[in-house]
Amino acid sequence: MSRKTVLVSGGAGFIGSHVTVELSNAGYDVVIADNFSNCDETNYKGVCQILGKELPLIKMDFCDAKAVNELFDAHQIDAVIHFAAYKAVGESVAEPLMYYNNNLVSFINIIDAARTHGGCNVLFSSSATVYGETDVLPVTEVSPRQPATSPYGNTKQICEDILRDSVAAYDGVKGIALRYFNPIGAHPSALIGELPRGVPNNLVPFITQTAVGKRECLSVFGNDYPTEDGTCLRDYIDIVDLAKAHVCAVSRMVDGKMKEEYEIFNVGTGRPVSVLELINAFEKVNDLKLNWKFAPRRAGDVVAIWADPQRANEELGWTAERSVEDTLAAAWAWEKRLAGKE
Ligand code: UFG
């Protein structure tokens, strides 16, 4: 069987770099394309070190339609995974046009190039944010989407729709949307991981930066939610497990195993974990004490969301394997390596 080529837009970022490693390990040729607007070359270099070889790296902006077409001219691309997007909820509220422009135009350019190059398998990185606030938990892929509460969340919904409608209209274009829950952790080698610019918005990078001394104190947003310990519940998914779900999805597409031409899968563990439980697990597995305090609720947070991952388990043959403890140990090893402490 000839080797297949996967284009990974945003391949130098947190999720893209881990997916690149798993795709390469599974025997795919990977072309990484990134404009480095939200990352440096640390993860790209880490990927090459883990794999023991240089991977093709193209510095480009997916909003540039000509450049995207040239990329498809130059490579026989069997599947494309689209990560290259902005992802900060608060920033999207302040700068909606920046988000709609970058996140939608880049995806439109990719699908347009795919359809004019004889079709392609397109994997879109979507988010559990499309489910919004719901009382019916866990959520399945047929749970209704709620109106988005931020332009960022809206771009995820619109891109899902763009993919669904394009698959219906254009011969040879097939698509999978993976709805991620809360990706956390780092590669066990500690050579690649999350590199947030500035003050982290997400919980785990804030925890590790506090533990390493870069931040003074973690604020736990809200202690009066209607949950057992009063803090929000999320489905934290290990980044390597998440990356492996992409390999399963790509194989399903390129090996012609899809049941529908457009499919959606939840990528989560099915296990709700509260903010306090996560902090306790971090302290226990890494044998340290974290400086944290309660703070008011953060606007826009849903009380609880976790996945029913049954469809991914059965159809993709994928199951999350790593424990929260292993994942938090990996996140801490990565943070210490960044700080030069290990
Ligand atoms: N949290 C804190 N303190 C922090 C950061 C987060 O207590 O410093 C809490 C949040 O209130 C929430 C939980 O930790 O209860 C998880 O927060 P994250 O920011 O890590 O993750 P979210 O669930 O808010 O984010 C997810 C996805 C985003 C998506 C967002 C949409 O990771 O990509 O949902 O709401 F944009």
Side-chain angles (χ1 to χ4, degrees):
M1 197 186 75
S2 67
R3 287 173 71 91
K4 304 282 186 191
T5 300
V6 183
L7 168 64
V8 181
S9 86
F14 173 45
I15 303 179
S17 57
H18 288 83
V19 168
T20 297
V21 168
E22 297 309 318
L23 284 169
S24 296
N25 284 340
Y28 290 96
D29 290 329
V30 181
V31 175
I32 300 174
D34 209 298
N35 67 357
F36 293 95
S37 69
N38 198 30
C39 64
D40 59 20
E41 290 204 4
T42 306
N43 276 337
Y44 171 70
K45 288 180 183 152
V47 166
C48 297
Q49 209 177 326
I50 291 167
L51 297 173
K53 63 179 180 190
E54 288 281 305
L55 290 189
L57 169 67
I58 296 154
K59 291 190 185 177
M60 61 169 285
D61 189 337
F62 280 83
C63 289
D64 178 348
K66 191 164 164 278
V68 179
N69 262 300
E70 284 167 4
L71 188 62
F72 276 76
D73 287 343
H75 299 270
Q76 173 58 49
I77 294 165
D78 298 289
V80 51
I81 309 183
H82 183 49
F83 294 114
Y86 296 147
K87 59 171 187 176
V89 176
E91 183 182 57
S92 80
V93 174
E95 296 284 353
L97 290 184
M98 186 176 125
Y99 272 68
Y100 287 118
N101 187 58
N102 186 60
N103 292 7
L104 303 186
V105 171
S106 57
F107 196 46
I108 290 168
N109 286 343
I110 286 175
I111 298 179
D112 203 28
R115 84 181 170 94
T116 55
H117 286 77
C120 191
N121 298 297
V122 180
L123 197 165
F124 176 62
S125 81
S126 191
S127 167
T129 194
V130 302
Y131 296 117
E133 180 94 63
T134 172
D135 292 336
V136 188
L137 289 162
V139 287
T140 72
E141 292 80 354
V142 294
S143 299
R145 295 189 322 189
Q146 307 286 342
T149 54
S150 72
Y152 158 79
N154 209 16
T155 67
K156 291 294 175 196
Q157 299 208 5
I158 297 170
C159 283
E160 284 193 353
D161 295 346
I162 289 173
L163 185 55
R164 179 201 61 207
D165 296 346
S166 299
V167 164
Y170 306 125
D171 279 348
V173 177
K174 298 193 175 71
I176 289 182
L178 295 183
R179 290 178 177 162
Y180 312 148
F181 283 69
N182 286 57
I184 61 165
H187 194 265
S189 65
L191 290 169
I192 55 175
E194 206 166 356
L195 274 171
R197 290 221 163 133
V199 182
N201 289 313
N202 297 115
L203 180 59
V204 169
F206 208 108
I207 288 177
T208 56
Q209 289 195 7
T210 305
V212 88
K214 263 172 101 173
R215 311 275 155 212
E216 209 170 299
C217 183
L218 168 77
S219 293
V220 173
F221 299 136
N223 63 357
D224 57 355
Y225 283 102
T227 60
E228 212 160 289
D229 65 19
T231 64
C232 295
L233 298 172
R234 294 288 183 277
D235 185 335
Y236 296 94
I237 169 83
D238 180 85
I239 187 67
V240 176
D241 279 338
L242 180 90
K244 288 179 177 167
H246 293 72
V247 178
C248 295
V250 165
S251 307
R252 183 174 174 90
M253 292 196 289
V254 301
D255 297 341
K257 301 266 169 61
M258 294 174 77
K259 291 197 175 144
E260 312 275 341
E261 294 202 331
Y262 172 63
E263 297 179 327
I264 301 171
F265 296 100
N266 283 342
V267 185
T269 65
R271 173 186 63 201
V273 174
S274 76
V275 177
L276 291 187
E277 283 171 335
L278 198 84
I279 293 171
N280 289 337
F282 180 82
E283 290 184 327
K284 196 161 171 226
V285 71
N286 296 314
D287 194 22
L288 46 77
K289 273 270 160 244
L290 193 73
N291 194 22
W292 67 269
K293 63 175 189 321
F294 283 120
R297 290 181 178 196
R298 181 172 70 175
D301 275 339
V302 300
V303 180
I305 179 108
W306 69 93
D308 178 342
Q310 194 184 345
R311 186 189 281 184
N313 298 160
E314 288 173 3
E315 294 289 327
L316 292 181
W318 168 89
T319 305
E321 285 169 355
R322 298 188 82 199
S323 67
V324 159
E325 286 76 16
D326 288 348
T327 305
L328 292 171
W332 180 227
W334 162 248
E335 188 70 61
K336 281 191 290 184
R337 186 174 156 265
L338 280 180
K341 292 196 174 171
E342 209 147 81

